[in-house]
Amino acid sequence: MADIPRRMPVTVPTVDSAWRVRARRWRELLGSVLANPTTVVGLVLIVGMLAVALFAPAITEPNTPDPYQMPRDWGALNVPPGSPGHILGTTNTGGDVYYGIIWGARTSLRLSIIVVSITVVVGVAIGSAAGFIGGKVDEILMRIVDVFLSIPELIFALAIAAVLGPSFRNIILALAVVFWVKYARIMRAQIIHVKDNDYVDAARVIGDSRLRIYLKDVLPNSITPIIVQATLDMGHIVLVGATLSFIGLAEAGLAEWGVLVSEGQAGISAGRWWASTFPGLMVFLWALAFNLVGDGLRDVLDPRTETAR
């Protein structure tokens, strides 16, 4: 009698093996990110500036009730870098450039985190509603988005901040109003693409609710471009915020890079370059670092943008 072939055992994946798969994917993702030299440069810059922001109270000695306000030394106006007590010099109003740069890093970090958090939450919520529900909801929400997108970002933010008055809080509000629309547009496009996949149809067949389908199947597979855009905006928001501060829409004396550049611009023609150069360099490095990391994440998370090797 011929031997009856044995049926191969069926391996059921366990929770532990699922976590190992996820951990391996994250290690592969991290390895891909670190394989790009420009991304590594961006990460090093970000880590350095975040360290400066987080340890600002230890690096400097705030002697004002509000540490975000630059201390003034009225007996040392426009002193050059290397002067006693003012390692990077002072502005024309006695503001210490070193103090402004250190606490300006914390101000920029606070600006980026608050604005990105608000805009991602609002944009993802509105974009998800438009893409997942569709119909008249989609039409109404996208027409609102089109109105916002028709106005240039900087002009729109400038108008809002000018109407609300000079305040760092108002700059945050103005940027949040302006930047959420791109997340709504990106999220809507992703939702429309993902919700037509076979695994979403399978979830409908087995009786999953619309909310469960959205949270389990649609949202996790739509969020990648949002992560990339948020990383890029961490740098872009500081650049726009510094621009608004430069033209006087932040409180006078705020420890912020745009305010420092504004205070130092009058002395450039007289050779007093330091008050504008050092904070301007910080704005450049901040925006450059997040752009480098954002580009690296886009290459890794979206295979269509990978450069052929």
Side-chain angles (χ1 to χ4, degrees):
M1 185 174 179
D3 293 336
I4 300 175
R6 295 182 179 180
R7 180 175 296 178
M8 296 297 292
V10 177
T11 302
V12 179
T14 63
V15 174
D16 182 57
S17 64
W19 277 107
R20 283 200 297 268
V21 170
R22 291 191 182 97
R24 185 175 68 251
R25 288 176 179 173
W26 278 107
R27 286 196 299 269
E28 292 173 353
L29 174 62
L30 180 61
S32 300
V33 170
L34 296 180
N36 188 334
T38 58
T39 306
V40 173
V41 171
L43 286 172
V44 171
L45 289 174
I46 289 174
V47 170
M49 287 185 289
L50 291 183
V52 169
L54 294 175
F55 295 105
I59 298 174
T60 60
E61 296 180 2
N63 57 3
T64 58
D66 182 2
Y68 288 98
Q69 289 289 319
M70 283 190 297
R72 303 290 176 179
D73 186 353
W74 297 104
L77 305 182
N78 293 317
V79 299
S83 301
H86 303 288
I87 188 172
L88 295 180
T90 62
T91 67
N92 58 352
T93 57
D96 186 71
V97 176
Y98 173 76
Y99 185 95
I101 286 177
I102 299 300
W103 280 89
R106 176 169 280 210
T107 302
S108 298
L109 179 62
R110 183 173 56 157
L111 175 68
S112 296
I113 290 177
I114 293 175
V115 174
V116 167
S117 299
I118 294 173
T119 53
V120 166
V121 170
V122 174
V124 167
I126 292 177
S128 296
F132 198 67
I133 299 174
K136 291 187 180 296
V137 173
D138 184 20
E139 284 293 325
I140 293 172
L141 292 178
M142 285 304 102
R143 296 301 73 77
I144 296 173
V145 169
D146 289 341
V147 171
F148 278 78
L149 287 175
S150 66
I151 308 172
E153 287 180 348
L154 181 57
I155 301 300
F156 197 11
L158 172 60
I160 296 172
V163 169
L164 296 176
S167 166
F168 183 71
R169 182 178 299 175
N170 291 340
I171 289 178
I172 292 176
L173 179 59
L175 295 178
V177 170
V178 170
F179 276 83
W180 69 269
V181 290
K182 65 176 69 174
Y183 294 99
R185 178 69 79 181
I186 293 171
M187 196 64 186
R188 172 186 177 269
Q190 286 295 114
I191 292 288
I192 291 174
H193 172 71
V194 170
K195 73 177 185 178
D196 291 332
N197 286 327
D198 292 339
Y199 56 84
V200 177
D201 293 333
R204 293 193 188 99
V205 170
I206 65 175
D208 283 351
S209 65
R210 297 191 72 182
L211 179 60
R212 179 175 173 81
I213 292 172
Y214 170 74
L215 294 176
K216 180 174 67 73
D217 300 310
V218 177
L219 180 62
N221 292 292
S222 304
I223 205 69
T224 297
I226 299 295
I227 296 173
V228 175
Q229 186 62 51
T231 305
L232 294 170
D233 278 346
M234 286 288 289
H236 185 48
I237 284 169
V238 168
L239 183 60
V240 177
T243 302
L244 299 180
S245 300
F246 174 80
I247 60 179
L249 293 177
E251 300 97 323
L254 179 69
E256 198 272 340
W257 296 331
V259 173
L260 270 175
V261 174
S262 178
E263 290 188 8
Q265 66 169 335
I268 293 178
S269 58
R272 298 189 295 270
W273 51 269
W274 52 88
S276 291
T277 300
F278 292 126
L281 180 62
M282 293 300 293
V283 173
F284 167 75
L285 290 176
W286 185 282
L288 175 66
F290 281 101
N291 273 277
L292 292 176
V293 174
D295 286 341
L297 287 176
R298 181 169 53 197
D299 291 342
V300 171
L301 297 176
D302 187 356
R304 293 172 299 178
T305 64
E306 286 186 344
T307 304
R309 293 189 176 95

